[in-house]
Coordinates of all heavy atoms in Angstrom, one line a residue:
A8 N -84.2 -40.5 -50.2 CA -84.0 -40.8 -48.8 C -83.7 -42.2 -48.6 O -84.3 -43.1 -49.2 CB -85.3 -40.3 -48.0
G9 N -82.8 -42.5 -47.6 CA -82.5 -43.8 -47.2 C -81.4 -44.5 -48.0 O -80.9 -45.6 -47.7
R10 N -80.9 -43.8 -49.1 CA -79.9 -44.4 -50.0 C -78.6 -43.7 -50.0 O -77.7 -44.2 -50.7 CB -80.5 -44.4 -51.4 CG -81.8 -45.2 -51.6 CD -82.5 -45.0 -52.9 NE -81.5 -44.9 -53.9 CZ -81.6 -44.2 -55.1 NH1 -82.7 -43.5 -55.3 NH2 -80.8 -44.2 -56.0
G11 N -78.5 -42.7 -49.1 CA -77.2 -42.0 -49.2 C -76.9 -41.3 -47.8 O -77.6 -41.5 -46.8
G12 N -76.0 -40.5 -47.9 CA -75.6 -39.8 -46.6 C -74.6 -38.7 -46.9 O -74.0 -38.6 -48.0
M13 N -74.2 -38.0 -45.9 CA -73.1 -37.0 -45.9 C -72.3 -36.9 -44.8 O -72.7 -37.3 -43.7 CB -73.9 -35.6 -46.2 CG -74.8 -35.6 -47.4 SD -75.6 -34.0 -47.7 CE -74.4 -33.1 -48.6
V14 N -70.9 -36.6 -45.0 CA -69.9 -36.7 -43.9 C -69.1 -35.4 -44.0 O -68.8 -34.9 -45.1 CB -69.0 -37.9 -44.0 CG1 -67.7 -37.7 -43.2 CG2 -69.7 -39.1 -43.7
S15 N -69.0 -34.7 -42.9 CA -68.1 -33.5 -42.8 C -66.7 -33.8 -42.4 O -66.5 -34.6 -41.5 CB -68.7 -32.6 -41.7 OG -67.9 -31.5 -41.5
V16 N -65.8 -33.4 -43.2 CA -64.4 -33.7 -43.0 C -63.6 -32.4 -42.7 O -63.7 -31.4 -43.5 CB -63.8 -34.3 -44.2 CG1 -62.3 -34.7 -44.0 CG2 -64.6 -35.7 -44.6
A17 N -62.8 -32.4 -41.6 CA -62.0 -31.3 -41.3 C -60.6 -31.3 -42.0 O -59.6 -31.7 -41.4 CB -61.8 -31.1 -39.8
A18 N -60.6 -31.1 -43.3 CA -59.4 -31.2 -44.1 C -59.5 -30.4 -45.3 O -60.6 -30.0 -45.7 CB -59.1 -32.7 -44.4
S19 N -58.5 -30.2 -46.1 CA -58.5 -29.5 -47.3 C -59.2 -30.3 -48.4 O -59.4 -31.5 -48.2 CB -57.2 -29.1 -47.8 OG -56.4 -30.3 -48.1
T20 N -59.6 -29.7 -49.4 CA -60.2 -30.4 -50.5 C -59.3 -31.5 -51.0 O -59.7 -32.6 -51.4 CB -60.6 -29.5 -51.7 OG1 -61.5 -28.4 -51.1 CG2 -61.4 -30.2 -52.8
E21 N -58.0 -31.1 -51.2 CA -57.1 -32.0 -51.8 C -56.9 -33.3 -50.9 O -56.9 -34.4 -51.4 CB -55.7 -31.3 -52.0 CG -55.7 -30.1 -53.1 CD -56.4 -28.9 -52.6 OE1 -56.7 -28.7 -51.3 OE2 -56.7 -28.1 -53.4
R22 N -56.7 -33.0 -49.6 CA -56.5 -34.2 -48.7 C -57.8 -35.0 -48.6 O -57.6 -36.2 -48.7 CB -56.1 -33.7 -47.3 CG -55.7 -34.9 -46.4 CD -55.2 -34.4 -45.1 NE -54.6 -35.5 -44.3 CZ -54.3 -35.5 -43.0 NH1 -54.3 -34.3 -42.4 NH2 -53.8 -36.5 -42.4
T23 N -58.9 -34.4 -48.6 CA -60.2 -35.1 -48.6 C -60.3 -36.0 -49.8 O -60.7 -37.2 -49.7 CB -61.4 -34.1 -48.4 OG1 -61.3 -33.4 -47.3 CG2 -62.7 -34.9 -48.5
T24 N -60.0 -35.5 -50.9 CA -60.1 -36.2 -52.2 C -59.2 -37.4 -52.1 O -59.5 -38.6 -52.6 CB -59.7 -35.3 -53.4 OG1 -60.6 -34.3 -53.4 CG2 -59.8 -36.1 -54.7
R25 N -58.0 -37.3 -51.6 CA -57.0 -38.5 -51.5 C -57.6 -39.5 -50.6 O -57.2 -40.7 -50.7 CB -55.7 -38.0 -51.0 CG -54.9 -37.2 -52.0 CD -53.4 -37.1 -51.6 NE -53.2 -36.5 -50.3 CZ -53.0 -35.2 -50.2 NH1 -53.1 -34.4 -51.3 NH2 -52.9 -34.6 -49.0
L26 N -58.4 -39.1 -49.6 CA -59.0 -40.1 -48.6 C -60.3 -40.8 -49.1 O -60.7 -41.8 -48.5 CB -59.4 -39.3 -47.4 CG -58.2 -38.9 -46.5 CD1 -58.7 -38.0 -45.4 CD2 -57.4 -40.1 -45.8
L27 N -60.8 -40.4 -50.3 CA -62.0 -40.9 -50.7 C -61.8 -42.4 -51.3 O -60.7 -42.7 -51.8 CB -62.6 -40.1 -52.0 CG -63.1 -38.7 -51.6 CD1 -63.6 -38.1 -53.0 CD2 -64.1 -38.7 -50.6
P28 N -62.8 -43.3 -50.9 CA -62.6 -44.6 -51.4 C -62.6 -44.7 -53.0 O -63.1 -43.8 -53.7 CB -63.9 -45.3 -50.9 CG -64.4 -44.5 -49.8 CD -63.9 -43.1 -50.1
A29 N -62.0 -45.7 -53.5 CA -61.7 -45.8 -54.9 C -63.0 -46.2 -55.7 O -63.0 -46.1 -56.9 CB -60.6 -46.8 -55.2
G30 N -64.0 -46.5 -55.0 CA -65.2 -47.0 -55.8 C -66.0 -46.0 -56.7 O -66.8 -46.2 -57.5
G31 N -65.7 -44.6 -56.3 CA -66.3 -43.6 -57.1 C -67.8 -43.3 -56.8 O -68.5 -42.6 -57.5
R32 N -68.3 -43.9 -55.6 CA -69.7 -43.6 -55.3 C -69.9 -42.6 -54.2 O -70.9 -42.5 -53.6 CB -70.3 -45.0 -54.9 CG -70.4 -46.0 -56.0 CD -71.2 -47.2 -55.7 NE -70.7 -47.9 -54.6 CZ -69.8 -49.0 -54.8 NH1 -69.2 -49.2 -56.0 NH2 -69.2 -49.6 -53.7
V33 N -68.8 -41.9 -53.9 CA -68.8 -40.7 -53.1 C -68.1 -39.6 -53.7 O -67.3 -39.8 -54.6 CB -68.3 -40.9 -51.6 CG1 -69.1 -41.9 -50.9 CG2 -66.8 -41.4 -51.7
C34 N -68.4 -38.3 -53.4 CA -67.8 -37.2 -54.0 C -67.7 -36.0 -53.0 O -68.5 -36.0 -52.1 CB -68.5 -36.8 -55.3 SG -70.2 -36.2 -55.0
V35 N -66.9 -35.0 -53.3 CA -66.9 -33.8 -52.6 C -68.2 -33.0 -53.0 O -68.5 -32.7 -54.1 CB -65.7 -32.9 -52.9 CG1 -65.8 -31.5 -52.3 CG2 -64.5 -33.6 -52.4
A36 N -69.0 -32.7 -51.9 CA -70.3 -32.1 -52.1 C -70.3 -30.6 -51.7 O -71.2 -29.9 -52.2 CB -71.4 -32.8 -51.3
A37 N -69.4 -30.2 -50.9 CA -69.4 -28.8 -50.5 C -68.0 -28.5 -50.0 O -67.3 -29.4 -49.3 CB -70.4 -28.5 -49.4
V38 N -67.5 -27.3 -50.3 CA -66.3 -26.8 -49.7 C -66.6 -25.5 -49.0 O -66.9 -24.5 -49.5 CB -65.3 -26.5 -50.9 CG1 -63.9 -25.9 -50.2 CG2 -64.9 -27.7 -51.7
N39 N -66.6 -25.6 -47.7 CA -67.0 -24.5 -46.8 C -65.9 -23.6 -46.3 O -66.1 -22.5 -45.9 CB -67.7 -25.0 -45.6 CG -69.0 -25.8 -46.0 OD1 -69.6 -25.5 -47.1 ND2 -69.5 -26.7 -45.2
G40 N -64.6 -24.1 -46.4 CA -63.5 -23.3 -46.0 C -62.2 -24.1 -46.3 O -62.3 -25.2 -46.9
P41 N -61.1 -23.5 -46.0 CA -59.8 -24.2 -46.4 C -59.7 -25.6 -45.7 O -59.0 -26.5 -46.3 CB -58.8 -23.2 -45.8 CG -59.4 -21.9 -45.7 CD -60.8 -22.2 -45.4
G42 N -60.3 -25.8 -44.6 CA -60.2 -27.1 -43.9 C -61.5 -27.6 -43.5 O -61.7 -28.2 -42.5

């Protein structure tokens, strides 16, 4: 607790992955639907 967080993105897995910062300290945590 207090060291992380989560963000919901209305996009495909592919597009979301392209939007991720290059630092590698975030990742796709769930895929709930096509967008």
Side-chain angles (χ1 to χ4, degrees):
R10 297 169 43 206
M13 305 182 82
V14 166
S15 174
V16 181
S19 66
T20 306
E21 294 75 14
R22 188 173 187 189
T23 300
T24 301
R25 289 196 298 271
L26 289 168
L27 295 181
R32 294 191 295 274
V33 293
C34 65
V35 171
V38 180
N39 297 335

